[in-house]
Amino acid sequence: MEHYARLSGKNNNNSGTKEATKNILEALGLGEHRDTKVGDIFFKGLSGGQKRRLSIALEVLSNPNNVFLDEPTSGLDSESAFQVMKFLSEYAKAAPNRRVVLTIHQPSSYIWNLIDNIVLLTKSRLVYQGPRKEIETFFESTGYPTPDHYNPADHYVTAVNDEFSLHELSPEEWEKAFLQWSISRGRQNSSMRRVSSGYIFQSTLQINTNRAGAYKATVELTKRYFLNLFFNPGVLGTRVAMYFMLSLLVGILFWDLGDLTTFSSIQSRVAVLFYCVAFFVFMSIAVLPFTVIERATVEKEVRNGYYHPAIYQLSQAIASIAGTAVLAFLTTLIITTMTGLDEPYWFYLNMFLALFAAEALAQFVSHLVPHFIIGMALIAGLYGLFMLLQGFMVVPSEFPGWLRWAYNVPFHTYSWRTFMYNEFHNQSFPDAAESGFEDGETILKIYEIENVNRGNDMIIMLCYGMFIHFSSFSLLSLKHWLKKRKNISEDA
């Protein structure tokens, strides 16, 4: 609640904000759970019904004049459903020009009496539109009055539903009957402009909806990312465990590799460095499911005007740096310490920038695909292609002439050849002299990377990640603009 208050531009230190938050939670039956974690796939927190009520609380906290809800009482017991509807009714009447529009399929008689205006549809046909208190008059005129001791809502829904019972009137005939009834009462074009008694209180206080600015929204979303990691450590913890175990296994298998100068040690060095680029980068695919799962929440917040989607991407890009730094540090510490590979500082910088680009790519793909499984398959295919093109399996001069440009496309290329340069330049291997590999420069020449400028390659990888993030900003901005344009054209 405090997080959404800040997104709304409210000051949580203000007594009015604290009191409003307390009252909303109490009214929705969440007062006893104010300190309960919402929960996720790793931790069970609030129940489904409590989460539904919390989602309502979050939205009304910013005092919107228009609230749209899709079946807010579904999954709730009768008392909880009544209290939710009572809260929404009171919210609508607490300030002038407020409207609460919702869909509901089976309201109880208690809930029915809280509703002011009704729109009744069947098979996309308009059966009734107007004040609740007048709907019975319409059904009486069609010969379908509500029986005694019967829930009016149940009766109306049953009367117009032709899917499971035989009725005298079809949806088209119901629509025609309502039109004729409206004309006879002089209500055409005005039924929804009429407001039932008491719908608007005589209040002179206009309550405005608040939203935070771009800077505050970015800060708040970044804070939310870290709070999610703190309260739900399984998100980052799973990845840390994976990187730790695999780094440890690499260290065990190649223990003190840096002290060896044999030909087999050269082969092992090349294999380890390829593995570090190929597989540790590949494991960044694990970030994609969490990004896609959160998308529904983000889309709702964007539609409600809390922030522009590009602001969300910016906060994700900033926040992911910390996790990337932790994973790169863990991998570097374990592997360089146990294997004795050269230049750990360069190793860390290289691994950090490779993971930075990989996470940027995962976030970009998450904005393209409808489901994370499709995204994971797409990224897996891309990384498979990048591994082929990075210069380990086939050196650049052996690429087909028309495909030689592709060597420079993967960020794997710059990471792997920098790893290789760090490990082999200015190094000697006397025990491999008989095999023709007395010095590291020979190895670098075989892979055609003897003239690598590792500083330039690091800059390229940084720009690579930043370009992908910029592409995500552009993609989200374009999608947001197209949705707004579509909505405007539909309204016109």
Side-chain angles (χ1 to χ4, degrees), residues 213-228:
Y215 172 75
K216 288 185 177 180
T218 303
V219 172
E220 191 57 36
L221 290 172
T222 304
K223 288 172 61 178
R224 183 170 77 179
Y225 180 92
F226 288 112
L227 283 174
N228 281 337

PDB file of all heavy atoms in Angstrom, residues 213-228:
ATOM      1  N   GLY A 213       5.665  11.542 -10.617  1.00  0.00           N
ATOM      2  CA  GLY A 213       6.368  11.905 -11.835  1.00  0.00           C
ATOM      3  C   GLY A 213       7.279  10.784 -12.306  1.00  0.00           C
ATOM      4  O   GLY A 213       7.431   9.751 -11.637  1.00  0.00           O
ATOM      5  N   ALA A 214       7.920  10.990 -13.451  1.00  0.00           N
ATOM      6  CA  ALA A 214       8.766   9.952 -14.050  1.00  0.00           C
ATOM      7  C   ALA A 214       9.925   9.578 -13.133  1.00  0.00           C
ATOM      8  O   ALA A 214      10.241   8.388 -12.967  1.00  0.00           O
ATOM      9  CB  ALA A 214       9.287  10.424 -15.403  1.00  0.00           C
ATOM     10  N   TYR A 215      10.566  10.587 -12.531  1.00  0.00           N
ATOM     11  CA  TYR A 215      11.715  10.304 -11.674  1.00  0.00           C
ATOM     12  C   TYR A 215      11.299   9.497 -10.449  1.00  0.00           C
ATOM     13  O   TYR A 215      11.921   8.477 -10.114  1.00  0.00           O
ATOM     14  CB  TYR A 215      12.386  11.601 -11.242  1.00  0.00           C
ATOM     15  CG  TYR A 215      13.465  11.411 -10.193  1.00  0.00           C
ATOM     16  CD1 TYR A 215      14.703  10.883 -10.541  1.00  0.00           C
ATOM     17  CD2 TYR A 215      13.223  11.739  -8.859  1.00  0.00           C
ATOM     18  CE1 TYR A 215      15.689  10.694  -9.584  1.00  0.00           C
ATOM     19  CE2 TYR A 215      14.205  11.551  -7.893  1.00  0.00           C
ATOM     20  CZ  TYR A 215      15.428  11.029  -8.255  1.00  0.00           C
ATOM     21  OH  TYR A 215      16.396  10.838  -7.299  1.00  0.00           O
ATOM     22  N   LYS A 216      10.235   9.939  -9.774  1.00  0.00           N
ATOM     23  CA  LYS A 216       9.783   9.229  -8.567  1.00  0.00           C
ATOM     24  C   LYS A 216       9.300   7.827  -8.907  1.00  0.00           C
ATOM     25  O   LYS A 216       9.526   6.888  -8.141  1.00  0.00           O
ATOM     26  CB  LYS A 216       8.671  10.022  -7.886  1.00  0.00           C
ATOM     27  CG  LYS A 216       9.150  11.289  -7.188  1.00  0.00           C
ATOM     28  CD  LYS A 216       8.020  11.959  -6.424  1.00  0.00           C
ATOM     29  CE  LYS A 216       8.528  13.184  -5.670  1.00  0.00           C
ATOM     30  NZ  LYS A 216       7.433  13.854  -4.923  1.00  0.00           N
ATOM     31  N   ALA A 217       8.641   7.687 -10.058  1.00  0.00           N
ATOM     32  CA  ALA A 217       8.173   6.358 -10.467  1.00  0.00           C
ATOM     33  C   ALA A 217       9.349   5.425 -10.721  1.00  0.00           C
ATOM     34  O   ALA A 217       9.319   4.238 -10.345  1.00  0.00           O
ATOM     35  CB  ALA A 217       7.304   6.471 -11.714  1.00  0.00           C
ATOM     36  N   THR A 218      10.413   5.939 -11.359  1.00  0.00           N
ATOM     37  CA  THR A 218      11.603   5.124 -11.612  1.00  0.00           C
ATOM     38  C   THR A 218      12.240   4.675 -10.307  1.00  0.00           C
ATOM     39  O   THR A 218      12.592   3.493 -10.139  1.00  0.00           O
ATOM     40  CB  THR A 218      12.628   5.916 -12.443  1.00  0.00           C
ATOM     41  OG1 THR A 218      12.032   6.338 -13.663  1.00  0.00           O
ATOM     42  CG2 THR A 218      13.851   5.064 -12.753  1.00  0.00           C
ATOM     43  N   VAL A 219      12.380   5.602  -9.373  1.00  0.00           N
ATOM     44  CA  VAL A 219      12.966   5.274  -8.070  1.00  0.00           C
ATOM     45  C   VAL A 219      12.104   4.244  -7.348  1.00  0.00           C
ATOM     46  O   VAL A 219      12.614   3.266  -6.786  1.00  0.00           O
ATOM     47  CB  VAL A 219      13.122   6.547  -7.215  1.00  0.00           C
ATOM     48  CG1 VAL A 219      13.546   6.182  -5.790  1.00  0.00           C
ATOM     49  CG2 VAL A 219      14.139   7.487  -7.841  1.00  0.00           C
ATOM     50  N   GLU A 220      10.791   4.444  -7.388  1.00  0.00           N
ATOM     51  CA  GLU A 220       9.893   3.553  -6.661  1.00  0.00           C
ATOM     52  C   GLU A 220       9.872   2.157  -7.264  1.00  0.00           C
ATOM     53  O   GLU A 220       9.857   1.152  -6.549  1.00  0.00           O
ATOM     54  CB  GLU A 220       8.478   4.145  -6.662  1.00  0.00           C
ATOM     55  CG  GLU A 220       7.521   3.453  -5.716  1.00  0.00           C
ATOM     56  CD  GLU A 220       8.015   3.439  -4.286  1.00  0.00           C
ATOM     57  OE1 GLU A 220       8.650   4.417  -3.855  1.00  0.00           O
ATOM     58  OE2 GLU A 220       7.774   2.428  -3.597  1.00  0.00           O
ATOM     59  N   LEU A 221       9.889   2.059  -8.573  1.00  0.00           N
ATOM     60  CA  LEU A 221       9.909   0.751  -9.220  1.00  0.00           C
ATOM     61  C   LEU A 221      11.230   0.030  -8.983  1.00  0.00           C
ATOM     62  O   LEU A 221      11.263  -1.204  -8.863  1.00  0.00           O
ATOM     63  CB  LEU A 221       9.656   0.909 -10.720  1.00  0.00           C
ATOM     64  CG  LEU A 221       8.230   1.317 -11.105  1.00  0.00           C
ATOM     65  CD1 LEU A 221       8.156   1.627 -12.593  1.00  0.00           C
ATOM     66  CD2 LEU A 221       7.239   0.226 -10.742  1.00  0.00           C
ATOM     67  N   THR A 222      12.313   0.784  -8.935  1.00  0.00           N
ATOM     68  CA  THR A 222      13.609   0.182  -8.620  1.00  0.00           C
ATOM     69  C   THR A 222      13.617  -0.352  -7.199  1.00  0.00           C
ATOM     70  O   THR A 222      14.105  -1.460  -6.942  1.00  0.00           O
ATOM     71  CB  THR A 222      14.738   1.216  -8.804  1.00  0.00           C
ATOM     72  OG1 THR A 222      14.694   1.747 -10.131  1.00  0.00           O
ATOM     73  CG2 THR A 222      16.102   0.577  -8.569  1.00  0.00           C
ATOM     74  N   LYS A 223      13.057   0.422  -6.279  1.00  0.00           N
ATOM     75  CA  LYS A 223      12.952  -0.031  -4.890  1.00  0.00           C
ATOM     76  C   LYS A 223      12.077  -1.279  -4.799  1.00  0.00           C
ATOM     77  O   LYS A 223      12.365  -2.201  -4.030  1.00  0.00           O
ATOM     78  CB  LYS A 223      12.373   1.079  -4.014  1.00  0.00           C
ATOM     79  CG  LYS A 223      13.332   2.235  -3.767  1.00  0.00           C
ATOM     80  CD  LYS A 223      12.658   3.382  -3.057  1.00  0.00           C
ATOM     81  CE  LYS A 223      12.118   2.976  -1.695  1.00  0.00           C
ATOM     82  NZ  LYS A 223      11.496   4.127  -1.000  1.00  0.00           N
ATOM     83  N   ARG A 224      11.002  -1.310  -5.583  1.00  0.00           N
ATOM     84  CA  ARG A 224      10.123  -2.481  -5.562  1.00  0.00           C
ATOM     85  C   ARG A 224      10.863  -3.729  -6.019  1.00  0.00           C
ATOM     86  O   ARG A 224      10.652  -4.822  -5.470  1.00  0.00           O
ATOM     87  CB  ARG A 224       8.897  -2.231  -6.454  1.00  0.00           C
ATOM     88  CG  ARG A 224       7.904  -3.388  -6.427  1.00  0.00           C
ATOM     89  CD  ARG A 224       6.610  -3.035  -7.117  1.00  0.00           C
ATOM     90  NE  ARG A 224       6.702  -3.060  -8.559  1.00  0.00           N
ATOM     91  CZ  ARG A 224       5.678  -2.808  -9.374  1.00  0.00           C
ATOM     92  NH1 ARG A 224       4.504  -2.466  -8.857  1.00  0.00           N
ATOM     93  NH2 ARG A 224       5.832  -2.856 -10.671  1.00  0.00           N
ATOM     94  N   TYR A 225      11.706  -3.581  -7.008  1.00  0.00           N
ATOM     95  CA  TYR A 225      12.490  -4.724  -7.499  1.00  0.00           C
ATOM     96  C   TYR A 225      13.334  -5.312  -6.375  1.00  0.00           C
ATOM     97  O   TYR A 225      13.350  -6.536  -6.159  1.00  0.00           O
ATOM     98  CB  TYR A 225      13.374  -4.263  -8.657  1.00  0.00           C
ATOM     99  CG  TYR A 225      14.238  -5.349  -9.256  1.00  0.00           C
ATOM    100  CD1 TYR A 225      13.799  -6.098 -10.334  1.00  0.00           C
ATOM    101  CD2 TYR A 225      15.514  -5.611  -8.744  1.00  0.00           C
ATOM    102  CE1 TYR A 225      14.599  -7.084 -10.884  1.00  0.00           C
ATOM    103  CE2 TYR A 225      16.320  -6.598  -9.286  1.00  0.00           C
ATOM    104  CZ  TYR A 225      15.855  -7.329 -10.364  1.00  0.00           C
ATOM    105  OH  TYR A 225      16.647  -8.314 -10.893  1.00  0.00           O
ATOM    106  N   PHE A 226      14.024  -4.447  -5.631  1.00  0.00           N
ATOM    107  CA  PHE A 226      14.882  -4.929  -4.553  1.00  0.00           C
ATOM    108  C   PHE A 226      14.068  -5.467  -3.377  1.00  0.00           C
ATOM    109  O   PHE A 226      14.482  -6.433  -2.721  1.00  0.00           O
ATOM    110  CB  PHE A 226      15.830  -3.823  -4.096  1.00  0.00           C
ATOM    111  CG  PHE A 226      16.915  -3.513  -5.079  1.00  0.00           C
ATOM    112  CD1 PHE A 226      16.949  -2.303  -5.753  1.00  0.00           C
ATOM    113  CD2 PHE A 226      17.896  -4.450  -5.356  1.00  0.00           C
ATOM    114  CE1 PHE A 226      17.944  -2.019  -6.662  1.00  0.00           C
ATOM    115  CE2 PHE A 226      18.902  -4.186  -6.269  1.00  0.00           C
ATOM    116  CZ  PHE A 226      18.928  -2.967  -6.932  1.00  0.00           C
ATOM    117  N   LEU A 227      12.918  -4.868  -3.123  1.00  0.00           N
ATOM    118  CA  LEU A 227      12.053  -5.387  -2.061  1.00  0.00           C
ATOM    119  C   LEU A 227      11.531  -6.774  -2.419  1.00  0.00           C
ATOM    120  O   LEU A 227      11.416  -7.650  -1.556  1.00  0.00           O
ATOM    121  CB  LEU A 227      10.885  -4.428  -1.814  1.00  0.00           C
ATOM    122  CG  LEU A 227      11.200  -3.162  -1.020  1.00  0.00           C
ATOM    123  CD1 LEU A 227       9.993  -2.244  -0.967  1.00  0.00           C
ATOM    124  CD2 LEU A 227      11.650  -3.524   0.407  1.00  0.00           C
ATOM    125  N   ASN A 228      11.223  -6.982  -3.693  1.00  0.00           N
ATOM    126  CA  ASN A 228      10.792  -8.312  -4.136  1.00  0.00           C
ATOM    127  C   ASN A 228      11.890  -9.344  -3.917  1.00  0.00           C
ATOM    128  O   ASN A 228      11.622 -10.485  -3.520  1.00  0.00           O
ATOM    129  CB  ASN A 228      10.399  -8.276  -5.612  1.00  0.00           C
ATOM    130  CG  ASN A 228       9.019  -7.704  -5.830  1.00  0.00           C
ATOM    131  OD1 ASN A 228       8.183  -7.722  -4.934  1.00  0.00           O
ATOM    132  ND2 ASN A 228       8.766  -7.180  -7.023  1.00  0.00           N
TER     133      ASN A 228
END
